[in-house]
Every structure is written in structure tokens, then in C-alpha cells.
Amino acid sequence: MGARSATLLRRVMYLSGTRADFGLMRSTLEQASAHPGLMVDVVATGTHLNAGHGHTVDEIRAAGFRLVAEIPIDVTTRTPVSMASAVGECLRGMSRVLETHRPDALMLLGDRGEMLAGAVAALHLGVPIVHIHGGERSGTVDEPVRHAISKLSTWHLVATDESALRLRRMGEDGQRIVVVGAPGLDGLTDLAAGTFDDTTAELHLPPSTPFALAVFHPVVQQADLARDQTIALMQALNALALPVVWLEPNADAGALGVLQALAEGMLPAGSRRVSHLHRELFVRAMRHAAVMVGNSSAGIIEAATFGTPVVNVGNRQRLRERNANVVDVPTDTAALTVALRQAVRQGRFAGINCYGDGRAGRRIVEHLVQMPLDRTLLEKTNVY
């Protein structure tokens, strides 16, 4: 912190539950930490603390952030009951953390249960909430959770004009809604600067061979179908016959079904299944893949910057705003096979991305420094 006086700093806390949200927010957190008017604390929970998911809390420490607390929750049972219980575990932990550290604001991203728990705790302890990526549609359990966080939040830093409009329709005050873009796009092209050959070598894929990148998470309401859906996708990838980098799923209900299908089945020759890729290598894989397939928000939001063709599978992201590089396909082997082959033949798209210009972090930091955070903002009422 150098010569900065802690008494003059605005203290912002960020709650991180997965490798994904930390990767999206890292650049913004770095910019905020470097600002002379801000002090940034990070709280880690969820899969960050689990060895099977790469124990990525170590990446938070290695990045030099002030890690003020770790909140263990159940990420191994992977059932609807365990997911709901984990929200309670995180709520209890965040209540203690907020009471101890009393930040000026709690910053949350997206739609996961950990973020909902943080929002509930902050509201009751009188800590203003800054919500990023609110106002979006996706379908499945993520959508009502995201909107619930928005209704608990004080400020909304959103990715697109459509998201801002949707929040106003939900009754949120337009003066507290700011379009900043998607923070995950910041520095993305620089992060993906490695060559194709270097990337495939680091991924341990066959040299000079096109490959597919697969990221398939379970849909919570379809947890009992996750194994069969994964089998359908694996069969389509075998028909495509390109080596695959398959990134294992998150800890949601149904993830055990995905892992079971992967354990029982086969991927094309030369493929690699991984539990975790550090952010830089994941972004490089996304840039150089002949096709990205699955249901990750990275395929919807970030892949367009590289023009990577994306086959979006099933319902998990079905209502998000689309770029031209995305095609939606049901979890059916025949339909997936056709879509994958067409995507590879199509090749890359122009790098046009409706989610922003890669300067979201700068805008977020400006607003964190300037936005009012007095307690009167917590007395929310709908404006409709």
C-alpha cells in the first residue's frame, strides 16, 4: 500500500467462489488495488479451496491480493441439497467476515449461490453491494439467482445496454445502473498472445492438429440427465474426430454424472481431460480452438473476441445475448455432430463482441471511487 493512508481509502471487498469468476475479475481487481483511493480485500470460498478443482486460492495469493478470509463450503457432494446447504454455509461465513472487516462495499459478480449468500449477508449488515453482470438472461437456476442478487444490490455495473434496460424494467433505479462492459474481456487478446504450436504443446495435444475445446457443466434442474447429455456430446466429438481438451465441470448438482460419463467413455485420439487450466492457458485454448463446445458463459461472452466458432449445448445459456459466432444445439448426438462439423467448416468469425470493448475494469474502478455509498442507498424501493 506504500504511503497511502488506510483511513483515506475506500475499502472494497470482493467475494470469489470459482476459478471462473476470479479469472474474469482479476484485471479489474488489479486496477482497483493499484488505485490510490481504494483498498481491495478478497474472500475465497467454493471450489477455490478444493484440491480437485486446482486449489485455486493459491492463484489468488500468488497474484498478490489481500486475502482476508477463506470460507469452506461443501463442493464435493454435488447434489441439489448440498448446493442449497452451501448457500447457508457461505451466508454464515460471510456474515462473520463482513462484521469483522466492515468494508465500504461488497463487490459481487454474476449468479452463483455464493454471490447470493454474500448479498444476503451484506444487506443485513448494512454494506452496499456492487453487482457486476446483472440484468442478463440465461435460463435455468442461474437466472432467478442473478435477478435475486440484483434486487438485493445497491449499484449495478452491467455489461450491455439490454441488461441495463432489463434492470430498469425490474424496478431498479436507472441512476444506479451503469453500462461498463464485461470485465472478462479486459486484456483478453494480450493474455492469449501465445502461438498455436506453443498452445498445443502446453496442452499436450498432437502438434499441428486442429482441436476442440469442451466445457460442459450440468444444468441443475436437469441433474439427473447430466450423464446422458455428456454421453451425447462425447459421441458427437468422436464423430468429429478432432483431439479434444475437455475441462471438467463445476461443482453443481449433476457434475458427478458428467464425470461418470467421462470415466466410462472415450474421447477422440490425442484428447486430454483436465480438472483445471490456469486463466492464460484457457484463454489461449479458446483463441486457437477450431471450435468451442459446451455451455460455458465463456463461449457466449469471451470467445467472440477471437471469432472462435461456438456450439452452445442445451439450456444453460439459452437466453443470453448472442454474438454471430454462436449456434445453439440441443443435447442430441446427431444435431451436435452436424453443428460441430459445420462450425469447423465455417472457420473463424470477425472479432466483434456485443459485450464490450475490453475497458470495463477502468470504468468499474472509476465508479468504485466516485459512487455514493451512504446508508440511505440501502433503503431501496422499486421505482415502478
Side-chain angles (χ1 to χ4, degrees):
M1 188 168 62
R4 294 184 291 175
S5 170
T7 60
L8 300 178
L9 299 179
R10 174 170 277 186
R11 294 188 62 186
V12 177
M13 179 176 287
Y14 178 66
L15 173 62
S16 184
T18 68
R19 65 193 179 199
D21 78 75
F22 176 69
L24 297 176
M25 286 297 293
R26 177 168 176 167
S27 175
T28 297
L29 294 172
E30 289 172 343
Q31 293 177 66
S33 297
H35 194 283
L38 296 174
M39 176 184 290
V40 178
D41 295 336
V42 178
V43 177
T45 186
T47 56
H48 278 306
L49 310 182
N50 181 262
H53 289 268
H55 203 253
T56 49
V57 66
D58 295 336
E59 296 182 11
I60 298 175
R61 291 196 186 93
F65 294 112
R66 281 170 44 92
L67 183 67
V68 297
E70 300 176 22
I71 303 174
I73 63 175
D74 180 6
V75 296
T76 58
T77 306
R78 308 189 193 197
T79 65
V81 171
S82 70
M83 287 184 69
S85 298
V87 174
E89 294 166 7
C90 190
L91 173 57
R92 182 178 292 107
M94 278 302 295
S95 299
R96 291 193 295 264
V97 170
L98 292 171
E99 177 65 19
T100 299
H101 294 278
R102 303 303 307 185
D104 295 301
L106 176 66
M107 188 161 54
L108 304 170
L109 180 142
D111 52 36
R112 290 196 56 80
E114 301 95 329
M115 304 299 177
L116 178 61
V120 172
L123 181 70
H124 284 81
L125 274 77
V127 177
I129 301 161
V130 180
H131 187 209
I132 299 171
H133 269 296
E136 298 177 14
R137 299 201 65 192
S138 58
T140 74
V141 70
D142 296 342
E143 180 157 338
V145 170
R146 185 186 306 110
H147 296 334
I149 296 170
S150 291
K151 297 309 294 183
L152 299 171
S153 295
T154 312
W155 286 95
H156 310 280
L157 305 184
V158 303
T160 70
D161 290 333
E162 282 192 21
S163 296
L165 176 60
R166 193 168 291 115
L167 285 173
R168 288 195 293 272
R169 288 174 173 168
M170 287 169 58
E172 294 301 296
D173 186 346
Q175 295 184 354
R176 301 192 199 177
I177 304 168
V178 184
V179 179
V180 297
L185 303 185
D186 289 16
L188 201 62
T189 53
D190 291 339
L191 200 62
T195 67
F196 176 88
D197 289 340
D198 289 343
T199 301
T200 53
E202 194 167 350
L203 290 168
H204 304 290
L205 295 173
S208 305
T209 303
F211 67 93
L213 173 64
V215 188
F216 184 70
H217 299 297
V219 176
V220 174
Q221 296 95 326
Q222 301 174 357
D224 58 328
L225 303 177
R227 176 179 173 275
D228 290 341
Q229 292 171 342
T230 305
I231 290 172
L233 177 53
M234 293 173 69
Q235 290 172 340
L237 286 167
N238 275 289
L240 184 66
L242 292 182
V244 178
V245 177
W246 189 300
L247 186 57
E248 290 181 0
N250 59 25
D252 288 352
L256 294 178
V258 177
L259 296 174
Q260 181 184 0
L262 287 168
E264 295 172 348
M266 294 284 292
L267 291 170
S271 295
R272 184 183 175 206
R273 170 185 163 187
V274 295
S275 60
H276 172 64
L277 291 175
H278 61 77
R279 175 70 173 170
E280 179 182 356
L281 185 54
F282 174 69
V283 169
R284 286 164 57 195
M286 186 162 46
R287 174 193 172 190
H288 291 295
V291 61
M292 183 174 180
V293 61
N295 57 13
S296 169
S297 61
I300 304 296
I301 298 174
E302 294 142 85
T305 295
F306 306 120
T308 303
V310 173
V311 175
N312 183 63
V313 182
N315 293 338
R316 188 170 182 265
Q317 307 290 348
R318 63 187 175 89
L319 296 175
R320 283 195 190 271
E321 292 177 60
R322 295 291 193 270
N323 289 290
N325 63 317
V326 177
V327 60
D328 297 291
V329 185
T331 50
D332 171 78
T333 298
L336 285 166
T337 301
V338 170
L340 286 166
R341 287 172 174 167
Q342 288 178 341
V344 172
R345 284 197 299 268
Q346 163 72 42
R348 313 203 85 73
F349 290 75
I352 300 172
N353 199 327
C354 69
Y355 283 93
D357 59 5
R359 294 193 287 271
R362 183 181 68 187
R363 299 184 186 103
I364 291 170
V365 171
E366 289 174 356
H367 286 289
L368 288 175
V369 172
Q370 299 172 6
M371 61 177 54
L373 292 174
D374 57 273
R375 286 181 176 269
T376 61
L377 295 173
L378 299 174
E379 299 174 8
K380 282 186 61 174
T381 56
N382 290 333
V383 298
Y384 54 72

